[in-house]
Amino acid sequence: MTVLRAKTALLADGWANDVEVTITGGRISALATGRPGPGALDCLLPAPVNLHSHAFQRAMAGLTERRSAGQDSFWTWRQLMYRFLDRLTPGDVQAIAAFVHMEMAEAGYAAVAEFHYLHHAPGGAAYADRAEMSARIAAAAAQSGLGLTLLVVLYQQGGCDGRALGPGQLRFGNDPDGFGALWQGAGRALAGLPADTRLGVAPHSLRAVSRDGLIFARGLAPQDPLHLHIAEQVAEVTEVQAAYGARPVEWLLANHGVDARWCLIHATQMVPAETLGLAATGAVAGLCPITEANLGDGTFDALRFAAAGGRWGVGSDSNLRISLSEELRLLEYSQRLQHRGRALLATPDQSTGRVLLDSAVRGGAQAAGRGAGGIAPGGWADLLALDMTATDLAGARGDAILDAWIFAGDDRMVSDVWSAGRHLVSGGRHRARDAITARYRSVMARLRVAL
């Protein structure tokens, strides 16, 4: 049993002072207020889940910012990514994932939903253990302590027309039988991790799975999280329209029982009817503002979606910059630039920062199938503490704390993080930073020479 005390805390039902949180077996077993005590934390907040990550892409950060012939786009970036990943060994992937997990924890995330599609050896041959790469993600989570929802990705084809996978995609590909064996192996790889670990399934996209493949993936794990890339780029929408006779979100909502276990990633290319339709399903929109800006994806229609009661969370996707506060800030700023206004996601009762954090906490927990979503009895103890001695936080109270952190500060204000009660970050530093960083530096030194 662990007991934490905080001078102020954002509980599921609002702000409270002199809060005592009791943690038993990784879950919040009791809450009390009016309990001042020595050694109290300055400010305790719920810590969200990073709902979308491709861990291995962290090692590409800073390597794709030169202009190629013609106009650079998502599609030229993707070709660079394909060439890069052919260099990666299972050991590399484990070291990169552990480093990513460490950075996520230090940024304030308590868990990650890893959208894992790098399954095979270069050239596409399966490893002797078909789930070798999944086991490496699990090993990284064991070292980092970060909560993990592993989303095993089905990737079948090179486009909506069913064409064969291209050379850069061979490490991703599986037919249904092979994928079923891989998914079961991934479950075995997770068996030694803590009880908050989850396994989910991710048909990659409407481009990369067949209609039958999507049905197969849905049925493989009918009670578990299901994530899907959707409508990220204009060219993707055009391809799906030509093959399916409808826009991606439009077709998906009409042909599949999208509900609260679904998380649709990006959805930056929707028309209003799709935005309203998605909001009505109770599914989570998985937003990755930093990556979406870096790749030129477009802007999510957050105002319309939020007004319709839509649920959303944030993720770091390509991991070129892992920062919880910046993901939230950029989401709001993208709306301000589009609509030429301020405090657009705020409500009459809650500030912009409060809406951003609350929504990310609830949406991320739902998308990851994680029993958290706020500081309340029964949920996993996913918590973060802010250092109120930071200059921009001095004297702030209530929602103003969140506004100062997200809009005037950065993740250096995060002092402590707990994932299902595991104390991962103290004094702003991950408990295994030295070992994880040394391994990552060694991997990157070799990769940079090779590239």
Side-chain angles (χ1 to χ4, degrees):
M1 185 178 72
T2 301
V3 177
L4 302 178
R5 291 185 175 87
K7 297 172 186 176
T8 188
L10 179 57
L11 308 182
D13 57 358
W15 290 98
N17 294 326
D18 297 325
V19 174
E20 183 179 270
V21 181
T22 303
I23 302 169
T24 306
R27 294 186 181 274
I28 298 171
S29 54
L31 279 178
T33 58
R35 298 281 184 89
L41 299 158
D42 288 336
C43 176
L44 192 65
L45 305 174
V49 176
N50 182 323
L51 59 60
H52 189 66
S53 163
H54 308 301
F56 76 88
Q57 292 179 16
R58 172 64 179 84
M60 292 173 57
L63 300 181
T64 64
E65 299 303 328
R66 291 181 178 271
R67 186 162 187 164
S68 57
Q71 181 170 335
D72 266 10
S73 67
F74 168 85
W75 307 101
T76 57
W77 173 88
R78 190 175 72 157
Q79 292 304 315
L80 292 170
M81 185 265 287
Y82 288 164
R83 292 201 295 272
F84 171 79
L85 65 85
D86 266 348
R87 309 280 184 175
L88 298 178
T89 69
D92 294 342
V93 169
Q94 180 177 333
I96 295 166
F99 188 77
V100 165
H101 292 177
M102 179 198 76
E103 289 191 309
M104 289 177 183
E106 291 183 349
Y109 293 109
V112 62
E114 176 65 22
F115 198 100
H116 174 60
Y117 59 86
L118 185 56
H119 299 309
H120 306 311
Y127 290 103
D129 175 358
R130 199 173 187 94
E132 168 73 21
M133 287 296 207
S134 295
R136 297 300 184 136
I137 302 296
Q143 182 179 20
S144 72
L146 196 72
L148 175 65
T149 294
L150 183 64
L151 302 160
V152 187
V153 174
L154 175 62
Y155 203 113
Q156 295 175 285
Q157 60 193 27
C160 289
D161 58 1
R163 61 186 178 272
L165 297 174
Q169 299 167 322
L170 295 176
R171 297 191 74 175
F172 313 155
N174 284 284
D175 61 21
D177 287 343
F179 183 74
L182 170 62
W183 192 79
Q184 291 178 349
R188 291 191 293 272
L190 298 181
L193 293 180
D196 56 300
T197 307
R198 291 295 304 272
L199 177 66
V201 65
H204 180 274
S205 60
L206 296 184
R207 289 180 292 107
V209 298
S210 67
R211 299 185 193 210
D212 288 343
L214 181 54
I215 293 170
F216 169 78
R218 281 188 56 193
L220 189 63
Q223 304 301 320
D224 296 313
L226 189 153
H227 290 217
L228 174 78
H229 286 134
I230 197 81
E232 181 177 2
Q233 288 276 324
V234 172
E236 175 186 7
V237 174
T238 300
E239 182 177 346
V240 171
Q241 280 183 303
Y244 288 76
R247 297 172 60 85
V249 174
E250 175 190 13
W251 182 87
L252 190 70
L253 297 184
N255 289 277
H256 288 270
V258 177
D259 58 21
R261 84 178 180 109
W262 289 67
C263 180
L264 303 188
I265 306 298
H266 301 307
T268 49
Q269 305 296 331
M270 292 192 296
V271 296
E274 291 176 298
T275 302
L276 297 175
L278 177 57
T281 66
V284 174
L287 310 179
C288 308
I290 293 175
T291 295
E292 288 154 7
N294 182 265
L295 296 180
D297 288 344
T299 303
F300 182 76
D301 191 358
L303 295 189
R304 192 187 315 271
F305 191 71
R311 304 173 188 181
W312 56 265
V314 296
S316 56
D317 195 355
S318 66
N319 294 307
L320 80 158
R321 172 73 176 152
I322 299 173
S323 174
L324 171 57
S325 59
E326 287 185 25
E327 296 287 1
L328 299 176
R329 182 188 311 141
L330 187 54
L331 175 58
E332 167 68 20
Y333 279 178
S334 70
Q335 304 305 301
R336 295 185 187 190
L337 289 168
Q338 183 176 359
H339 299 285
R340 301 179 185 179
R342 294 193 71 257
L344 293 178
L345 287 171
T347 69
D349 300 322
Q350 296 184 340
S351 75
T352 313
R354 173 72 178 278
V355 170
L356 289 168
L357 183 63
D358 277 356
S359 298
V361 166
R362 291 193 299 266
Q366 177 181 321
R370 189 171 177 84
I375 302 179
W380 292 116
D382 289 352
L383 308 167
L384 72 88
L386 295 180
D387 177 5
M388 294 296 290
T389 66
T391 301
D392 288 305
L393 294 179
R397 296 179 181 275
D399 287 1
I401 296 172
L402 306 179
D403 295 334
W405 170 40
I406 294 169
F407 292 102
D410 56 35
D411 296 337
R412 288 174 295 182
M413 293 176 174
V414 176
S415 64
D416 294 79
V417 172
W418 293 261
S419 174
R422 299 180 293 274
H423 195 182
L424 306 184
V425 175
S426 180
R429 184 179 178 86
H430 189 276
R431 65 190 186 186
R433 167 170 267 281
D434 290 344
I436 289 173
T437 302
R439 178 96 181 272
Y440 178 76
R441 283 180 178 273
S442 176
V443 167
M444 287 305 299
R446 181 180 58 76
L447 288 176
R448 288 185 184 276
V449 169
L451 291 168

